[in-house]
Amino acid sequence: MAVDYAVIAVYLAGMLAMGWWGMRRAKSKSEFLVAGRRLSPWMYSGTMAAIVLGGASTIGGVGLGYQYGLSGAWMVFTIGLGLLALSVFFSARIARLKVYTVSEMLDLRYGGRAGIISGLVMWGYTLMLAVTSTIAYATIFDVLFDMHRTVAIILGGAIVVAYSALGGMWSITLTDMVQFVVKTIGVLLLLLPIAVVKAGGFSEMKAKLPTEYFDPLGIGGETIFTYVLIYTFGMLIGQDIWQRVFTARSDTTARWGGTVAGTYCLLYAIAGAVIGTAAKVLYPKLPSADDAFATIVKDELPPGVRGLVLAAALAAVMSTSSGALIACATVANNDIWARLRELVGRREGRADAVGERDEVRERDEVRDNRAFILVMGLAVICIAIALNDVVGALTVAYNLLVGGLLVPILGGLLWKRGTVQGALAAMVVGGLTVIALMSAYGILANEPIYYGLLASLAVYLVVSLATKPTDAAVLAAWRARLAGEGADESGGAGDGPREPSLPAGSTS
C-alpha cells in the first residue's frame, strides 16, 4: 500500500496548495463567492461536473449497479438530465441575473420578503448535502488506512474546510478541475475496463447474473419517477448548482459548458452501473451494496492504480463537499445572518439599517464569508460524526429542497402572475408537508415528495391568483435583470431590498 499512500498524500497536499494559491486571488466578495464570474467554458464544464458527481454518485452509483444491475444508473442519470435541462433552458437567464444566492433571485422576482424563509430551506439542503459527502470520507479512508470513522471524517473534513476557507470559489474551482481529471482517469479510464475484464467480459456477466440485471427499467418505474422528481428537479434549483452557474463568464458559457457537463454525467452514470454489475459477479454476497466500490478497488486493482482510483473517489466526495459547504456558508451569511441583522436594526429604529449590509461589505466581506465557511464546516463535521445514513441524509436534503422551493423558483421564472404571498405559502406548506410525511411514512418513502410537491403547487396557484399581482415596477426590473441590465459591479441583486443597483444599463 506504500505506493497508494504516496498517491493519496500527493493528491491531498495538492488540494491544500491550491487552496493557498486561490487565497491570493480571492480579494473581493465576487472573487471569493463566484470566482469573479469569469470562468471559461472548459473550466466551467469541469467544475460543474465535479460538483454534481459526488460520493453518492460514485460509491452510491456503483452500489446501485451491484444491487440492480444496469438500471442502477438511473439515479446518476437523472442528475445528468437535470443538469442538461438547467443548462439548456435556464442557465443563461440565471447567469445574467448577477446575484449570489437563489434567495436573492426570489427577492428580485417577487419584490422582497421571500428571502429568509427560502434561505432557511436552502441552508438546510446545503448543510445536509455537505454532511452526506463528509460521511463518505469514512468509507475511503477506512479502505486506505483502516482508520476509525470519526478520525476519517475529521481528517477529510478539515482538508475541505481549509482549502474552501482559504480561497473560496477560486480554490474550489482549481481543486475541482484536478478532481475532474482524477475522477475521469480513475473511474472511467481505469476502474471501468479493469472491472469488466476481471468479471470475464459482458458475456460472462450475462451468463452469471439474472436477466433483470440487464433490464434498463429493472429498478422500477416508480423509483425512476421519484429520482426524476428529486434529482432532475433538484438540479434546477440548488444553491450549490446555481452558485456554479454564477461563475460563468457569459450566458453562452453557462449554456454550452453545462451541456457538456450534463453529457459527462450520463456517461458516468452508465460507468458506475457497469462497475457495480461486475462487482456482483466477483463478490455475489457482500453484506452491503455500498461496499461494492471499496471492495473491487481494494481486491482487484494493482498498487498505484488502486491509489489513483481511491483518489478519484476522494475527488468525487471532496468536490461535492466543498461546493455544498461554500453554498451553505453563502446562504447562512447573505440570506439569513445579514437579513436578521437588518431586521434587528429596523426594530431598534436605526436610520441606516437598510444600508448596514453595504457597510459590512465595505469593511471586509471576504473575511465574513471565510468565517462562515469555518463555522459551517465545523457544524458539518460534527453532524457527520453523529449520523451514519448517507442515503437517508441525502434524501432529506433533496426532499426539503424540491418540496419547499421548486414551485416558487420555477413559478417565478415561468409564470408572471405568481406573487410573493403565493411563493411564501408554497415554501411553508410544501416544506412542512414533506417533513410531516417523512415522519409518517419514513425518510426513504416516495409519498413525502409526491404530496409535498402537489401541496406546494396547489397553494402557489391559489394564493397567487387570490392576491394582488406583483407590482409592475418589480416585474419591469426583473425583466431588465434577465436581459443582463441593471446589476451592480459586485453582482448583487439590484432592485430588491438587499443590494442597491446602479442605473439600468450600467456595466456589471
Side-chain angles (χ1 to χ4, degrees):
M1 295 288 289
V3 177
D4 299 326
Y5 293 162
V7 172
I8 297 296
V10 169
Y11 170 76
L12 295 178
M15 296 301 99
L16 292 174
M18 289 188 180
W20 182 264
W21 187 88
M23 182 177 67
R24 304 179 63 179
R25 300 198 63 170
K27 300 299 185 181
S28 68
K29 178 181 178 180
S30 177
E31 296 283 349
F32 191 84
L33 294 182
V34 291
R37 306 185 193 274
R38 49 198 175 99
L39 293 193
S40 62
W42 71 273
M43 217 168 180
Y44 178 87
S45 298
T47 58
M48 184 63 85
I51 188 176
V52 300
L53 296 174
S57 299
T58 302
I59 299 172
V62 172
L64 287 171
Y66 183 89
Q67 188 173 0
Y68 298 104
L70 298 185
S71 66
W74 274 107
M75 184 187 78
V76 182
F77 203 83
T78 55
I79 290 174
L81 292 178
L83 187 51
L84 285 171
L86 173 72
S87 302
V88 173
F89 298 112
F90 299 108
S91 64
R93 282 184 284 177
I94 293 170
R96 287 195 294 266
L97 288 174
K98 295 291 190 291
V99 294
Y100 290 107
T101 68
V102 174
S103 294
E104 288 180 7
M105 166 265 168
L106 290 171
D107 273 354
L108 267 174
R109 167 59 182 83
Y110 294 111
R113 294 183 289 167
I116 289 183
I117 294 179
S118 62
L120 287 171
V121 175
M122 190 65 74
W123 175 78
Y125 157 72
T126 53
L127 180 70
M128 295 307 294
L129 184 62
V131 167
T132 60
S133 300
T134 304
I135 291 173
Y137 298 138
T139 301
I140 301 167
F141 281 110
D142 177 61
V143 175
L144 278 172
F145 309 115
D146 194 22
M147 185 179 292
H148 188 275
R149 178 180 180 275
T150 299
V151 177
I153 289 174
I154 293 173
L155 175 60
I159 292 171
V160 169
V161 172
Y163 74 68
S164 299
L166 283 172
M169 187 59 80
W170 268 122
S171 294
I172 293 171
T173 297
L174 294 170
T175 55
D176 277 358
M177 282 305 300
V178 175
Q179 290 159 355
F180 172 74
V181 173
V182 171
K183 197 157 34 179
T184 300
I185 296 173
V187 175
L188 295 184
L189 301 183
L190 292 177
L191 182 58
L192 174 61
I194 290 174
V196 172
V197 170
K198 292 282 187 177
F202 283 102
S203 59
E204 189 69 15
M205 291 162 62
K206 287 184 177 181
K208 291 185 176 181
L209 295 174
T211 55
E212 55 263 29
Y213 264 72
F214 301 91
D215 181 359
L217 303 178
I219 199 170
E222 184 178 359
T223 299
I224 295 171
F225 181 65
T226 302
Y227 284 159
V228 171
L229 285 182
I230 295 177
Y231 298 117
T232 301
F233 287 121
M235 288 294 106
L236 300 180
I237 59 176
Q239 170 68 25
D240 53 323
I241 308 302
W242 278 41
Q243 199 157 343
R244 295 309 174 94
V245 176
F246 300 152
T247 65
R249 70 183 180 193
S250 68
D251 52 6
T252 302
T253 296
R255 182 185 296 113
W256 292 109
T259 300
V260 171
T263 303
Y264 178 89
C265 291
L266 302 184
L267 298 175
Y268 200 87
I270 297 171
V274 172
I275 293 168
T277 305
K280 184 67 175 179
V281 174
L282 296 168
Y283 312 99
K285 296 182 179 181
L286 289 177
S288 170
D290 285 340
D291 293 337
F293 179 87
T295 302
I296 195 170
V297 169
K298 187 175 183 179
D299 293 347
E300 302 298 334
L301 299 184
V305 174
R306 179 171 52 208
L308 184 59
V309 173
L310 288 172
L314 271 177
V317 174
M318 286 185 166
S319 57
T320 298
S321 181
S322 58
L325 178 59
I326 194 172
C328 180
T330 302
V331 170
N333 186 19
N334 291 267
D335 293 334
I336 300 175
W337 176 244
R339 290 170 184 268
L340 291 176
R341 290 183 58 165
E342 184 177 310
L343 288 174
V344 170
R346 284 174 173 169
R347 286 188 177 183
E348 293 177 354
R350 296 204 303 268
D352 62 341
V354 174
E356 187 171 348
R357 265 190 97 243
D358 293 327
E359 295 175 12
V360 172
R361 183 177 63 234
E362 291 297 327
R363 287 199 301 269
D364 197 347
E365 283 278 4
V366 173
R367 179 199 62 199
D368 294 342
N369 283 290
R370 183 174 284 133
F372 267 87
I373 288 178
L374 291 172
V375 173
M376 291 299 105
L378 180 61
V380 165
I381 291 172
C382 292
I383 296 171
I385 291 172
L387 295 180
N388 194 34
D389 186 357
V390 177
V391 176
L394 190 66
T395 302
V396 170
Y398 274 97
N399 279 353
L400 286 173
L401 175 70
V402 176
L405 292 182
L406 177 67
V407 171
I409 292 172
L410 292 189
L413 288 170
L414 301 173
W415 190 42
K416 68 178 182 179
R417 186 60 181 83
T419 66
V420 65
Q421 294 88 351
L424 289 171
M427 291 178 206
V428 173
V429 171
L432 292 178
T433 301
V434 165
I435 292 172
L437 292 179
M438 282 193 295
S439 301
Y441 289 95
I443 290 175
L444 299 180
N446 294 326
E447 287 83 359
I449 193 62
Y450 292 168
Y451 297 123
L453 267 177
L454 287 175
S456 180
L457 178 61
V459 169
Y460 181 73
L461 294 174
V462 171
V463 175
S464 291
L465 292 173
T467 52
K468 184 180 178 180
T470 303
D471 186 84
V474 172
L475 288 178
W478 166 252
R479 288 192 291 269
R481 291 297 289 272
L482 285 177
E485 304 170 359
D488 66 19
E489 291 183 355
S490 66
D495 296 274
R498 308 277 316 286
E499 301 261 7
S501 66
L502 296 174
S506 300
T507 57
S508 60

